[in-house]
Amino acid sequence: MNKLLIIVLSFLVLIGCKNENKKGVVQVEHQQEEKQKSLVDFFLPMEPQGELISEGIWGAENVLPRDVKNGLEDPKLEKWCYWDGRIVKDDAGKYHMYASKWNQSYNHSDGWHIGSKGMHAVSDNIMGPYEDKGLTWPNWKDGIGHNVIGLRMHDDRYAVVTSELTPGEIFVSDNPNGPFELLGPIKVEDPNGFGMGLARYSNPEQPHYGNMSNVKVMLRPDGKYMIIARSTAPMISENGILGPYKIMGDRIYKKYPNLPQTRNEDPTIWHSGGLYHIVYNHWPTKTSHHFTSKDGIKDWVYRGIAFKKGESKIFKYTDGTINDWQFIERPTAYVEDGHVTHFIFSVIDVKKGQDRGNDNHASKIVVVPFDGEAFDKYMQDLVSVE
């Protein structure tokens, strides 16, 4: 009888231990789920560079009040709408924004593809305000420019890139203030078994047939130049910034059939924390997706939604005020000391078709701080257990 009691008690203890173990596993799994983060979790509140205001400036109620000294804008719409942009820091500590602009008398759709010009602005503070210094290459095709970005080259010269409205050109200068001279067109000559449509518009019925689009150029740590354009296909040059570039892979999202396979645009690329990162936008759903790769060429891993209109409150000030921009496009990452410290966005207050020109709606460039050190630490921890 005592032996039977001992056996029963032992069995009950064993069952209890299994249940506790199972409970412990569930708790651990739940904790792991809670720890899962995405890129949007590392954006920081914006410290206003001036008073948040609503009176005397353009914009629908969803973007009021706001800091007109953040980034680059024409607050009273005296002349310009702004778009694109990447920030470059010079040796004196000033910040240079190379972007595009068009006269506010255009509606948005006409402005970007008829009136868009490459421009340059300067600030003492990365957050702004940026002072418009005029056109970047006024003597080349009347200053035409779109998808405009800037960067420092491997030889420390300043470069500005334009595409979409033209085949895809690079301008260079020894001075961040210019003058910028045309270095030449970007060359993509080796499809490497892939379609050349990954590099340029390949359909003659497209309005910008033969042009590159959404070109982002990055200096790789190995001394090569890398381009990610609209398709997100990696392209590498071992012979300088103009190329020739070799297509190294297909669209990074192609092996993820559950993700939208069309209408993707505006990729940005950077290297931090030992990883290459790409964020691109699926414009119909206003959703941006995040991928990483260890070599920037192959094995791109999907890391989830980077940010999504309606769910991600990116444009939040330190006092809690939120600006809810209607379209959030053209993201670029600003990297300093090995980490992203800020993101730059092109934003518009209403649907693009509702910006009629000579009205109270427009676009601007916004700068948002980002905790790149914490982000890189999180990504390194994530990759280490894969």
Side-chain angles (χ1 to χ4, degrees):
M1 193 68 177
N2 290 337
K3 289 183 178 180
L4 180 60
L5 182 60
I6 292 172
I7 291 172
V8 171
L9 290 173
S10 299
F11 178 74
L12 291 174
V13 170
L14 180 61
I15 292 297
C17 290
K18 286 185 176 179
N19 288 337
E20 283 300 317
N21 288 338
K22 186 180 292 186
K23 183 179 179 181
V25 169
V26 171
Q27 287 177 336
V28 170
E29 289 177 346
H30 181 64
Q31 289 172 353
Q32 289 176 340
E33 288 177 359
E34 287 184 335
K35 292 178 181 178
Q36 289 293 323
K37 295 182 179 180
S38 65
L39 185 139
V40 73
D41 295 311
F42 296 90
F43 283 96
L44 300 172
M46 301 180 293
E47 181 71 40
Q49 303 306 299
E51 182 182 358
L52 301 185
I53 59 175
S54 299
E55 301 297 326
I57 62 173
W58 60 266
E61 290 185 2
N62 47 296
V63 299
L64 299 174
R66 72 172 180 275
D67 177 15
V68 298
K69 293 185 178 181
N70 175 297
L72 177 62
E73 74 167 279
D74 183 348
K76 295 185 178 181
L77 273 189
E78 294 175 333
K79 194 164 187 180
W80 301 115
C81 293
Y82 294 99
W83 203 251
D84 298 320
R86 184 192 272 173
I87 294 170
V88 181
K89 187 178 182 180
D90 69 17
D91 295 333
K94 288 186 177 294
Y95 297 91
H96 299 262
M97 182 185 290
Y98 302 97
S100 65
K101 67 180 181 181
W102 55 85
N103 194 293
Q104 65 84 31
S105 62
Y106 288 109
N107 63 50
H108 183 89
S109 297
D110 288 341
W112 78 260
H113 77 263
I114 294 177
S116 190
K117 311 280 188 180
M119 56 80 57
H120 167 228
V122 182
S123 175
D124 292 324
N125 186 331
I126 190 169
M127 294 290 291
Y130 284 82
E131 181 183 354
D132 186 337
K133 295 293 187 179
L135 301 185
T136 316
W137 44 83
N139 299 321
W140 186 80
K141 297 186 177 181
D142 295 323
I144 186 173
H146 199 63
N147 291 175
V148 177
I149 64 162
L151 68 151
R152 291 288 290 269
M153 297 166 61
H154 282 300
D155 62 8
D156 272 344
R157 285 184 295 170
Y158 296 83
V160 183
V161 185
T162 184
S163 59
E164 185 70 41
L165 300 184
T166 60
E169 290 81 14
I170 294 176
F171 297 78
V172 297
S173 176
D174 292 326
N175 189 310
N177 298 301
F180 282 85
E181 301 293 337
L182 177 64
L183 184 64
I186 300 168
K187 304 178 183 69
V188 183
E189 297 180 355
D190 187 353
N192 191 27
F194 299 96
M196 285 298 287
L198 295 174
R200 300 180 181 277
Y201 287 117
S202 58
N203 183 349
E205 297 181 359
Q206 291 171 318
H208 305 299
Y209 170 66
N211 291 353
M212 300 188 78
S213 175
N214 293 177
V215 170
K216 296 287 177 65
V217 181
M218 191 193 79
L219 281 65
R220 289 173 57 95
D222 59 12
K224 301 174 184 178
Y225 285 92
M226 182 172 183
I227 282 179
I228 296 291
R230 180 184 289 264
S231 71
T232 73
M235 293 175 269
I236 301 290
S237 168
E238 299 182 3
N239 298 291
I241 194 169
L242 287 181
Y245 286 83
K246 180 178 182 179
I247 300 176
M248 304 300 295
D250 213 324
R251 296 171 174 85
I252 63 170
Y253 48 79
K254 189 173 182 179
K255 67 177 183 179
Y256 292 89
N258 292 334
L259 292 176
Q261 298 294 302
T262 60
R263 300 183 179 181
N264 296 309
E265 63 178 11
D266 290 351
T268 189
I269 184 169
W270 73 92
H271 182 270
S272 66
L275 290 172
Y276 291 83
H277 299 261
I278 287 179
V279 170
Y280 67 84
N281 179 41
H282 181 246
W283 62 264
T285 60
K286 301 180 182 178
T287 304
S288 293
H289 299 279
H290 176 213
F291 283 76
T292 67
S293 168
K294 293 180 180 179
D295 65 5
I297 298 173
K298 60 183 183 300
D299 299 328
W300 287 93
V301 178
Y302 182 51
R303 299 300 180 183
I305 292 175
F307 40 85
K308 180 179 176 66
K309 162 68 178 172
E311 297 179 5
S312 307
K313 306 303 181 185
I314 298 174
F315 307 102
K316 182 177 182 179
Y317 296 100
T318 50
D319 70 352
T321 300
I322 295 174
N323 291 154
D324 184 20
W325 294 97
Q326 182 62 231
F327 277 89
I328 305 164
E329 299 187 359
R330 306 293 292 148
T332 59
Y334 175 81
V335 179
E336 189 166 355
D337 296 329
H339 304 286
V340 176
T341 64
H342 297 78
F343 272 85
I344 301 94
F345 296 95
S346 300
V347 296
I348 185 171
D349 63 321
V350 293
K351 293 180 179 179
K352 294 177 181 179
Q354 294 176 351
D355 176 15
R356 305 292 185 183
N358 287 322
D359 61 5
N360 194 46
H361 304 298
S363 58
K364 69 168 288 184
I365 299 168
V366 178
V367 183
V368 184
F370 185 81
D371 191 349
E373 290 190 34
F375 171 73
D376 286 336
K377 175 63 167 57
Y378 176 78
M379 293 304 305
Q380 289 168 353
D381 291 343
L382 190 64
V383 170
S384 68
V385 298
E386 292 178 338

